Amino acid sequence: MPHALGLVKALRRARDLVLDSRDTFSASLNDEGRYRLLIDAIDDYAIYMLDLEGRVTSWNPGAERFKGYRADEIIGSHFSRFYTDEDRAAGLPEEALRLARTEGRFEREGWRVRKDGARFWAHVVIDPIRTPAGDFVGYAKVTRDLSERRAAEDALRRSEQEFRLLVQAVTDYAIYMLSPSGRVTNWNAGAERIKGYRPQEIIGEHFSRFYTEEDRAAGLPAQNLRRAGQDDRFETEGWRLRKDGSRFWAHVVIDAIRNDAGELIGFAKITRDITERREAQTALEAAREALFQSQKMDAIGQLTGGIAHDFNNLLMVVISGLDMLRKRLPPDPKITSLLDNVMQGAERGAALTQQMLSFARKQEMKLKPVALPDLVDGMGEMLRRSLGPEFRLAINLPANLPPVLSDENQLASALLNLAVNARDAMPDGGEIAISAEVIPPEAGAASGADERFVVLSISDTGEGMDEETLAKAVEPFFTTKGIGKGTGLGLPMVHGLAAQSGGRLVLKSRKGDGTTAQLWLPVAGAEIAAAAPVAILEDISTPSLLILAVDDDSLVLTSTTAMLEDLGHRVVKAGSGAEALTVLRANPDIALIITDQAMPQMTGAQLRDAIQARRPDLPVLLATGFVDLPAGADPDLPRLAKPFTQAQLAQEIARMAARGTPALVP
């Protein structure tokens, strides 16, 4: 034992002192004297003798040093005075002597009392003393003061206990230890709360059971322990399993634990459930992505609208020029055929421009009640011709469907677009079904709590789309068709039409399971559905007028001027709003102004406001391809959609005259 070894060392030191001084004292000391000198030299131990009854018969300096009694104060006294009152009442002194006598030795630790009443923690050894003849004559007692060691052990014990309580009190973190092989050796309350196992269920089990089946198959648990052992620390995030099999997203730290020699004796493992934080982060990233996509779509819409506007102007020149040439050239089948072919190309370009403007939500829309059964029935033959004989078209629309609010022409174009997309998704033929149903307000309340929708569905039996393709389907210029077979603007145009009508486009598809495109269109209000159509006098004649044509594009301005002059009108021109006001002051007999909307410095609507301040009776016709006017502009401002033909221009002038515009009535 360590205390006995300490005593032996002390005795050896005392012996060395005796030997060093033997030349001085050898003549006067016998063996007993040398032994006494040895005992008296030890001051780290109380070494003394007791008689048969337990009274002190000898006392060394060590005993005096930490018990406080001088030899003359204690010799003859019973050794029980060194015991506490409790131990004396329990008969511990007598029991110690009895055990030493009967068993040959007594050794124990316990509280002892100094002369001043202070307690100290003592290690005690009592040995029986016998003569060479075997007679029992007393006891040898060795006591050592271990108070400092006891205090250190108590402090360590308290620290360990406090640390254990601290770890057990933590419920937001799973804190536990692993053996070098990865088996759980302890388990805190946080681990039980997060993972669901009670200590008796998990201690001794391998920690790999917390990993998913995929991670176990990949050897991830062993790999993580190996990295922690190599680097002393390993940190990661990943899916972990609870006792009930549910998954949670965990932040994990594994620290290697080593002894004083640097040998690995286990691992400390801390796990935190951060599922909520991950979900919040995922939602934030999704919101950021949605914002980015919205900004991207808005930017593409702005770009597309600008390109379409410029293209509209070019088509305006081409279409009006072809219109004028057709009237001026002599009848010749070859020339007429060429002109018709060029006109068809220009009209296809105009249709593409309308798709671009519809996607950009800048196309002129004329919202009015549309009867879907009549629209679809009227398109039936055209749809069948467009699809081809290998495709079956099934139309199932209830006759009592309420009218929807949309632009009839653009809705027809959208329906044709969706049918053609369905056809292209079935290269080996198949069936296309067109159906419709009314959705009650609570299911379709996207724009208003009381709004009803009619859902027009176009379904095919084709190959369908995977999730990635479905997510990109309405992006502009995205197409799965071959080069030259699609512009990637069909679905964006349909999407734009639905949005401008106050509804939405919903695509449902699964790979190998076909596709259904749903057009959600708002039901037209009763006051809108019952409104009587405005009477238009198509045969009204207008006199030769002095008309001011305004456009910042010189090509468009020239074409518009030519068409007006061919209709018999006199025309003055201006290339900007400011120039138009100057021309107007110089020509007070101007009867009509036809102006472009999108002009720099002063728009057509602003020009109209400036003219109204001077001549409120002077009519202004706005030529534009955009649906949106600036905030505050008169929504009833007469508009002519670009690109327009000479016939459409003449019809709009006649319509303004039919409304009773004074300057246009003969």
Side-chain angles (χ1 to χ4, degrees):
M1 295 184 64
H3 309 301
L5 290 174
L7 176 59
V8 171
K9 291 179 180 178
L11 290 172
R12 286 175 178 171
R13 289 200 304 272
R15 183 197 64 187
D16 292 341
L17 289 172
V18 172
L19 292 176
D20 289 342
S21 58
R22 70 179 181 274
D23 293 338
T24 305
F25 300 102
S26 59
S28 61
L29 293 178
N30 54 22
D31 289 340
E32 183 180 349
R34 291 191 182 95
Y35 180 75
R36 184 175 298 280
L37 181 62
L38 172 65
I39 297 302
D40 289 344
I42 298 173
D43 60 2
D44 287 340
Y45 291 82
I47 304 174
Y48 54 98
M49 292 181 65
L50 306 175
D51 63 15
L52 293 176
E53 285 74 30
R55 290 186 293 270
V56 178
T57 59
S58 69
W59 196 249
N60 82 324
E64 181 177 345
R65 184 179 69 82
F66 61 79
K67 294 206 178 189
Y69 296 95
R70 297 191 311 273
D72 59 325
E73 293 178 307
I74 197 64
I75 290 177
S77 298
H78 199 274
F79 87 109
S80 61
R81 72 163 52 187
F82 307 138
Y83 283 74
T84 65
D85 291 342
E86 304 93 316
D87 288 348
R88 283 199 301 271
L92 193 58
E94 292 78 10
E95 178 68 10
L97 293 183
R98 187 187 67 78
L99 290 173
R101 184 175 65 253
T102 57
E103 297 183 8
R105 180 184 179 86
F106 172 81
E107 184 174 5
R108 194 164 296 177
E109 290 185 5
W111 290 111
R112 296 296 184 267
V113 181
R114 304 184 201 275
K115 177 184 176 181
D116 61 5
R119 293 188 178 196
F120 68 98
W121 189 259
H123 175 263
V124 176
V125 177
I126 303 176
D127 289 300
I129 301 175
R130 299 181 185 277
T131 65
D135 297 330
F136 178 55
V137 296
Y139 303 91
K141 193 166 186 294
V142 181
T143 303
R144 188 178 186 188
D145 184 356
L146 297 180
S147 299
E148 291 184 2
R149 193 201 72 177
R150 166 80 177 194
E153 289 176 348
D154 286 347
L156 178 61
R157 191 178 300 108
R158 285 194 302 272
S159 175
E160 290 175 347
Q161 184 178 15
E162 289 171 357
F163 182 74
R164 189 178 301 109
L165 290 173
L166 172 64
V167 170
Q168 285 299 326
V170 174
T171 58
D172 287 340
Y173 292 81
I175 304 174
Y176 53 99
M177 293 182 65
L178 305 176
S179 69
S181 62
R183 297 198 174 273
V184 178
T185 59
N186 58 32
W187 196 247
N188 83 324
E192 182 174 347
R193 186 187 69 83
I194 293 172
K195 303 202 177 192
Y197 295 95
R198 297 191 303 275
Q200 60 268 31
E201 294 178 307
I202 198 63
I203 291 177
E205 299 293 329
H206 200 272
F207 86 114
S208 60
R209 69 162 54 189
F210 308 138
Y211 285 71
T212 64
E213 186 175 345
E214 312 91 87
D215 288 347
R216 287 197 299 270
L220 204 58
Q223 179 183 332
N224 291 351
L225 284 189
R226 184 170 59 254
R227 292 179 63 180
Q230 291 171 349
D231 303 333
D232 286 336
R233 178 182 174 85
F234 175 73
E235 185 172 0
T236 189
E237 291 185 5
W239 290 112
R240 294 294 184 270
L241 297 179
R242 306 185 202 276
K243 178 184 175 181
D244 62 7
S246 61
R247 295 189 176 198
F248 67 98
W249 189 259
H251 175 262
V252 177
V253 177
I254 305 176
D255 286 297
I257 303 175
R258 303 183 184 277
N259 60 19
D260 294 339
E263 299 170 337
L264 181 68
I265 60 173
F267 300 92
K269 194 166 186 293
I270 301 176
T271 302
R272 188 178 188 189
D273 181 356
I274 58 171
T275 307
E276 290 185 3
R277 191 189 76 180
R278 183 175 188 267
E279 290 174 350
Q281 184 176 352
T282 301
L284 177 61
E285 290 174 354
R288 287 175 177 168
E289 178 64 20
L291 176 61
F292 169 74
Q293 290 296 332
S294 174
Q295 291 173 335
K296 182 180 76 171
M297 295 292 281
D298 184 62
I300 294 176
Q302 294 292 337
L303 175 64
T304 305
I307 293 173
H309 172 263
D310 292 341
F311 195 32
N312 253 344
N313 285 341
L314 296 176
L315 288 172
M316 173 89 189
V317 175
V318 173
I319 291 174
S320 62
L322 291 172
D323 218 8
M324 301 293 292
L325 282 173
R326 194 197 304 267
K327 294 174 64 176
R328 285 173 168 73
L329 289 174
D332 185 329
K334 292 184 178 180
I335 295 177
T336 302
S337 175
L338 287 174
L339 284 176
D340 289 343
N341 191 52
V342 175
M343 181 63 82
Q344 287 179 9
E347 289 173 348
R348 287 179 60 182
L352 176 60
T353 304
Q354 296 306 307
Q355 288 183 344
M356 294 171 70
L357 285 171
S358 179
F359 162 71
R361 301 188 185 184
K362 293 184 176 181
Q363 183 182 15
E364 178 71 36
M365 287 191 67
K366 296 178 181 177
L367 297 178
K368 64 178 183 179
V370 178
L372 283 179
D374 295 343
L375 176 70
V376 176
D377 287 346
M379 294 180 63
E381 188 59 34
M382 180 184 67
L383 288 171
R384 289 183 177 87
R385 286 199 307 271
S386 300
L387 297 177
E390 64 272 29
F391 295 92
R392 298 183 303 278
L393 180 63
I395 299 176
N396 182 22
L397 272 72
N400 60 347
L401 273 178
V404 298
L405 189 64
S406 189
D407 182 296
E408 185 171 8
N409 292 330
Q410 293 189 39
L411 182 55
S413 177
L415 180 59
L416 179 60
N417 230 313
L418 293 174
V420 170
N421 278 353
R423 178 201 66 189
D424 294 342
M426 300 183 291
D428 299 324
E431 180 175 283
I432 298 173
I434 300 177
S435 60
E437 62 176 329
V438 180
I439 301 297
E442 61 272 12
S447 303
D450 299 325
E451 191 167 6
R452 291 190 304 156
F453 286 84
V454 171
V455 178
L456 179 65
S457 299
I458 297 88
S459 303
D460 64 59
T461 57
E463 56 194 29
M465 294 180 281
D466 56 30
E467 291 184 3
E468 183 179 358
T469 303
L470 185 62
K472 296 180 178 179
V474 296
E475 289 187 6
F477 311 114
F478 174 79
T479 180
T480 57
K481 300 176 182 179
I483 297 175
K485 295 184 178 180
T487 62
L489 285 173
L491 285 177
M493 184 274 288
V494 178
H495 172 76
L497 165 70
Q500 286 180 269
S501 299
R504 61 188 182 274
L505 171 67
V506 177
L507 296 177
K508 297 180 179 180
S509 186
R510 193 166 58 184
K511 193 67 178 175
D513 225 10
T515 299
T516 296
Q518 294 182 333
L519 259 176
W520 289 58
L521 299 169
V523 173
E527 69 284 354
I528 298 176
V534 177
I536 300 297
L537 302 176
E538 300 293 348
D539 58 346
I540 190 171
S541 59
T542 55
S544 176
L545 306 171
L546 179 60
I547 298 176
L548 171 58
V550 187
D551 203 302
D552 62 316
D553 189 315
S554 60
L555 294 177
V556 176
L557 185 58
T558 300
S559 296
T560 303
T561 300
M563 286 191 288
L564 289 170
E565 289 177 342
D566 189 63
L567 290 172
H569 301 293
R570 293 174 296 128
V571 182
V572 288
K573 298 183 290 183
S576 67
E579 184 182 351
L581 293 176
T582 301
V583 173
L584 182 60
R585 282 192 294 268
N587 297 272
D589 55 341
I590 289 176
L592 172 66
I593 297 177
I594 301 176
T595 178
D596 184 29
Q597 162 62 10
M599 296 186 296
Q601 298 179 344
M602 181 182 291
T603 65
Q606 291 170 336
L607 173 61
R608 190 253 192 181
D609 292 341
I611 293 170
Q612 288 290 303
R614 293 172 173 83
R615 291 180 56 182
D617 60 332
L618 182 60
V620 176
L621 177 61
L622 199 66
T624 179
F626 293 146
V627 64
D628 297 325
L629 291 177
D634 184 0
D636 296 326
L637 179 63
R639 283 180 279 177
L640 182 62
K642 282 185 176 181
F644 53 82
T645 63
Q646 186 181 40
Q648 291 169 331
L649 176 60
Q651 184 182 33
E652 190 57 40
I653 295 173
R655 185 177 289 113
M656 293 176 70
R659 293 194 185 112
T661 305
L664 303 181
V665 178

